[in-house]
Amino acid sequence: MKLSVIGCGYLGAVHASAMAELGHDVVGIDVDAAKITQLAAGKPSFFEPGLPEILASAGASGRLRFSTDMADVAEATVHFVAVGTPQMRDSHAADMSYVDAAIAGLLPFLKPGDLVVGKSTVPVGTAARLAQLIADSGTGATLAWNPEFLREGFAVKDTIEPDRLVYGVADERAAAVLDEVYATTLATGTPRIITDYATAELVKVSANAFLATKISFINAMAEIAEVTGADVSQLADAIGHDARIGRRFLNAGVGFGGGCLPKDIRAFTARAEELGRGESVAFLKEVDAINLRRRQRAVDLAVEALDGSVYNKRIAVLGVTFKPNSDDVRDSPALDIAVQLKGLGAHVISTDPQGIENARMRHPQLDYTESIDEALDGAELVMLATEWKQFRELDPARVASLAIGRTIIDGRNALDAAAWRAAGWTYRGMGRP
């Protein structure tokens, strides 16, 4: 099929490449000329495992091209809208200007029978509004909503081999078109849920709200563990054996971040309030508050470890991205902690396998190094803030040969506490004795 993907950021670049890899003829459209040039050269503007390979493969096949000219969508019959919906500057609501601009730019090139497919995470009610806009345009095109469920670090797999496909459609024809788009995926037995617009929109934000709640729940238990002497990791293991609960996303630490969970739960709360049902998701405000408190707790542990003051103390912060296998520093707990420590007068040296350049653009006042050894050299305190494999596998004895201090704060509860203590370290976890 001939497809277009409007917006070639994280979601759009992955989706365009994956669809071409599945055999479709795809054109990716974006207003950022530099981004388009990079993608056309087979170089994504962000780090995502597996993406360079399928980007190169699809490009070499001739099935994938990129452009800044919206007119290049004219031959496509299915148009995916994959632009961002960031949090607005003056409220918790989602900024819909990019979605609205994408639809406005697309309308002049739509033809009878074309299907516009929304993939962006939007407030419930958006699809109905856009469907009416497309109907009123007289183009003969229709709208479907097909939310994405990508995990950064696994986005390629999640696109080619998703755990489910959700179609928000107004008629059977739209579902049939999407079935054709995803024929290869459906042939493997991937579950398909066909529903209305509103349900499809709610599936994504509800999923993110649930995951955020689960993370903040175990972090709330960590707060209780810290005043009772309990071990939150053992607690998570024990309750995680209950099939109704499960162990995934029950890892206490410095909390969640990134470009999805924080802004999505805030936007969900804002939309519920607009609908007159703010009380239904009022608990998400506490989920957000717990999440932010864990960052402060990590800073407090650093102050305690350095006898009440971090002023002029050299602190090695291992990690700046919000999670491993990503270069995303948006709303990153690791970066936030480094900034807070810097604000208290500490000499912070941050290191990360992929996120340094993005972190430097946001917080140039911090000191960064690509060398783990350089970050650790002379450190009076070590803090693990992102659980990259390189950091989890550090040898405590080797770290001791570089650092001056002998305290490590494990902000992700990812280290072997016994091994570090046996090597002479004072180990401090999050909700662990």
Side-chain angles (χ1 to χ4, degrees), residues 4-13 16 27-39 45-46 65-73 80 82-84 98 102:
S4 75
V5 177
I6 315 304
C8 292
Y10 184 85
L11 168 60
V27 58
I29 304 292
D30 201 284
V31 296
D32 187 333
K35 182 187 298 179
I36 289 298
T37 299
Q38 273 191 274
L39 288 169
S45 58
F46 54 89
R65 61 193 179 93
F66 295 94
S67 173
T68 57
D69 188 353
M70 188 69 86
D72 285 338
V73 308
F80 288 95
V83 296
Y98 300 103

Side-chain angles (χ1 to χ4, degrees), residues 122-268:
V122 297
V124 60
T126 300
R129 174 176 66 83
L130 296 178
Q132 189 61 54
L133 182 66
I134 292 170
D136 291 344
S137 71
T139 60
T142 54
L143 179 79
W145 215 263
N146 173 218
E148 55 86 12
F149 305 101
L150 305 187
R151 300 166 297 163
E152 291 198 35
F154 302 91
V156 172
K157 182 179 186 298
D158 289 345
T159 304
I160 295 176
E161 302 173 11
D163 53 16
R164 79 282 209 193
L165 288 167
V166 176
Y167 302 168
V169 296
D171 55 58
E172 293 182 0
R173 179 188 172 276
V177 172
L178 286 172
D179 280 350
E180 189 175 353
V181 171
Y182 294 118
T184 302
T185 300
L186 291 170
T188 66
T190 299
R192 180 193 64 164
I193 297 98
I194 299 179
T195 186
D196 54 77
Y197 291 147
T199 305
E201 291 166 315
L202 281 172
V203 168
K204 176 59 188 291
V205 293
S206 298
N208 278 355
F210 186 87
L211 294 175
T213 300
K214 195 170 183 181
I215 296 168
S216 280
F217 169 80
I218 200 63
N219 275 327
M221 295 306 98
E223 292 180 333
I224 301 299
E226 286 165 355
V227 297
T228 61
D231 187 325
V232 75
S233 294
Q234 292 179 350
L235 173 66
D237 289 341
I239 65 175
H241 281 291
D242 188 326
R244 297 168 301 175
I245 298 172
R247 184 61 176 81
R248 296 186 65 191
F249 281 80
L250 278 181
N251 295 314
V254 293
F256 57 81
C260 292
L261 260 61
K263 65 97 174 174
D264 284 354
I265 64 171
R266 294 165 192 160
F268 195 10

Side-chain angles (χ1 to χ4, degrees), residues 338-340 342-343 348 359-368:
V339 169
Q340 289 191 53
K342 175 72 172 180
V348 179
R360 183 177 281 119
M361 285 189 287
R362 289 175 179 259
H363 292 289
Q365 75 274 24
L366 298 178
D367 291 322
Y368 303 95

